Amino acid sequence: MTTLEGLPAVRRLTAWEPTRLESLAGEYETPLYVLDLDRVRENARRLESAFPDAEILYAVKANALSDALETLHEAGIGLECASAGELSRALVVTDSGADVHYTAVNPPAGDLDIAVEAWEAYPELTITAGAEDTIDRLEERGYDGRLCLRVNPGIGAGHHEKVQTGANAKFGVPAERAVDVLADAADRGFDVVGIHAHVGSGVSSDQLDAHREFVSRMGELARSVTAAVGDLEFVDIGGGFGVPYREADAPLDLEAVAEATREAVGDVDAQLTIEPGRYFVADAGVLLTEVNTVKDARETTLVGVDAGMTTLLRPAMYDAYHPIRNLTADTEADSSDGDRSRGTTAQTITGPICESGDVFCTDRELPESERGDLLAIGNAGAYGYEMANQYNSRPRPASVVIEDGTVRLARRRETIDDVTSVERES
């Protein structure tokens, strides 16, 4: 079993072995996602150590690669699914569905049909509803199983306004109406088992006060629900535990978060449930990309690479920072002759997409790039491939996983035929 002794709280991009990554790019080509499953396990152990009495679920939306799901399930981590597709993936690796939660937002009819069919096969599955309408729609489909209510606590936090969910009207039933909604659901025959809320994504240590207030509200609500409706099995406070993307940022003090959580939730006769996603996989992944163009522009040096916003969307969508490393320059600097050390210059790294927003960084000081150089983009294990798309009719990249020193292809590279095949089939 993996222990935490001697393991860093975060894996920085500088910790990846450049020659190993270069060999992967040579064998599997670029762009290429690389996921270290051993690091995923280490992150799972860290969460289990900080929250020893909690039920821990993995938010599948962070990285739904089957290898990641299997690795975490084998480590005793449950699976939280935001869509019918994620639910279908999760049920492939579970035995009973008892450790699977379906937590959709405004689920389409087809998704609800699939979820109810899954419940018929796996009656221990938990379905979380975020609207009274969703409860009605479940009842119409004959569902009277395990029901959790997503509530809106009126407080949000996270790394960007687009991922702060706790106060966004899209997410959950207003907390002040939760008792009445759950009492009605119980009267209608549903098996009411829990309440759920999620404050946001990428919560950092300096947002601990907001997290504490959010958890405190959930504890108060749980006590009110218990008094009015009956005992709950769990209180799910979501995930959102941040990881440091910038090199100078300190890792999240997970022990402090756990202690603050226990204090804030208070005396509740129900199990605490958490469902991180990013924390498991972000620093376990990198994206490899090759330089194809170096251009001196008026105000910057423009470096074009073969990955773009279709490969990694986060910088374009959230203005997110990802560390970038020139592996070729580092290998040259570390070589035995030692005479190929490059200078640094401010560079704008951009992809091949026909959009001005297709930029990974602007005027970042990096070793001078040359055509053919291999770059690594760090913290790409979360919301990397999951948000990849086929804009400009570009095929999505391949993915490999590393486990116990062995590399295997986990997802083949798409082709242009893959992009157009659904049109031909119609």
Side-chain angles (χ1 to χ4, degrees):
M1 178 179 289
T2 303
T3 65
L4 298 178
E5 184 177 355
L7 295 177
V10 61
R11 186 178 190 181
R12 307 287 186 180
L13 184 56
T14 54
W16 291 81
E17 174 56 48
T19 55
R20 181 72 181 280
L21 295 178
E22 287 176 322
S23 69
L24 293 179
E27 182 174 357
Y28 297 100
E29 302 182 340
T30 58
L32 179 69
Y33 275 103
V34 181
L35 186 69
D36 186 342
L37 297 178
D38 297 322
R39 179 63 188 181
V40 173
R41 289 192 187 90
E42 292 170 7
N43 290 335
R45 286 283 297 119
R46 187 171 291 103
L47 283 161
E48 289 175 327
S49 177
F51 292 90
D53 299 320
E55 176 189 30
I56 304 177
L57 308 176
Y58 168 59
V60 174
K61 66 180 180 180
N63 189 326
L65 188 67
S66 296
D67 290 87
L69 304 190
E70 292 169 1
T71 295
L72 288 167
H73 186 259
E74 290 170 0
I77 305 299
L79 302 171
E80 183 270 326
C81 309
S83 70
E86 291 177 6
L87 178 61
S88 298
R89 284 176 174 269
L91 292 176
V92 170
V93 301
T94 188
D95 298 321
S96 67
D99 54 357
V100 176
H101 289 205
Y102 172 64
T103 311
V105 179
N106 304 328
D111 280 34
L112 276 188
D113 291 341
I114 292 172
V116 172
E117 289 174 5
W119 162 70
E120 291 169 349
Y122 298 89
E124 295 179 80
L125 171 70
T126 298
I127 294 183
T128 299
E132 295 174 70
D133 220 16
T134 304
I135 298 175
D136 294 339
R137 296 165 69 202
L138 287 168
E139 186 178 43
E140 291 167 3
R141 288 164 171 77
Y143 182 83
D144 60 0
R146 294 170 54 82
L147 181 73
C148 173
L149 183 68
R150 181 166 187 167
V151 302
N152 187 307
I155 185 170
H159 69 84
H160 191 279
E161 62 181 10
K162 292 182 180 179
V163 298
Q164 296 174 3
T165 58
N168 189 308
K170 178 178 180 178
F171 301 96
V173 173
E176 60 271 20
R177 287 169 38 202
V179 172
D180 290 341
V181 172
L182 285 173
D184 177 66
D187 289 342
R188 290 156 65 180
F190 288 93
D191 181 14
V192 175
V193 294
I195 56 174
H196 168 283
H198 178 58
V199 71
S201 185
V203 177
S204 59
S205 295
D206 60 5
Q207 296 174 317
L208 194 56
D209 286 345
H211 174 77
R212 186 184 290 108
E213 174 61 23
F214 155 70
V215 174
S216 177
R217 293 185 189 184
M218 290 297 290
E220 292 175 6
L221 178 59
R223 288 184 284 274
S224 297
V225 171
T226 298
V229 181
D231 291 341
L232 296 173
E233 286 186 21
F234 62 85
V235 177
D236 188 335
I237 62 166
F241 304 145
V243 298
Y245 282 74
R246 294 180 181 273
E247 294 87 342
D249 288 349
L252 181 69
D253 188 342
L254 195 60
E255 296 291 343
V257 171
E259 181 60 29
T261 299
R262 286 186 285 267
E263 291 177 358
V265 76
D267 185 16
V268 175
D269 189 18
Q271 185 173 44
L272 177 69
T273 297
I274 61 172
E275 49 184 53
R278 182 190 314 272
Y279 193 90
F280 284 104
V281 293
D283 71 351
V286 296
L287 171 63
L288 302 181
T289 183
E290 183 175 312
V291 174
N292 53 50
T293 304
V294 179
K295 178 170 65 175
D296 290 330
R298 292 187 183 92
E299 299 176 351
T300 188
T301 296
L302 196 81
V303 177
V305 297
D306 60 5
M309 59 186 284
T310 55
T311 320
L312 178 65
L313 183 60
R314 295 188 73 254
M317 186 169 185
Y318 305 122
D319 195 27
Y321 180 97
H322 281 263
I324 298 176
R325 180 180 178 188
N326 189 317
L327 299 172
T328 306
D330 286 352
T331 300
E332 290 173 350
D334 292 339
S335 64
S336 57
D337 56 41
D339 60 358
R340 189 60 180 89
S341 181
R342 305 184 192 181
T344 63
T345 186
Q347 299 167 57
T348 295
I349 311 295
T350 183
I353 311 306
C354 191
E355 296 280 350
S356 58
D358 182 31
V359 174
F360 290 117
C361 70
T362 302
D363 291 336
R364 191 177 303 182
E365 198 73 21
L366 294 166
E368 296 173 349
S369 294
E370 300 175 2
R371 192 185 330 138
D373 283 353
L374 181 66
L375 306 186
I377 302 177
N379 279 354
Y383 306 104
Y385 191 95
E386 290 310 302
M387 300 179 79
N389 58 83
Q390 296 174 337
Y391 181 46
N392 280 180
S393 291
R394 291 194 176 275
R396 287 175 293 189
S399 300
V400 298
V401 294
I402 303 173
E403 185 173 24
D404 297 327
T406 301
V407 178
R408 65 175 179 273
L409 182 67
R411 182 190 287 118
R412 70 168 176 83
R413 185 176 308 282
E414 286 184 344
T415 66
I416 293 177
D417 281 345
D418 291 322
V419 176
T420 60
S421 63
V422 292
E423 300 170 31
R424 292 198 302 272
E425 290 171 1
S426 65

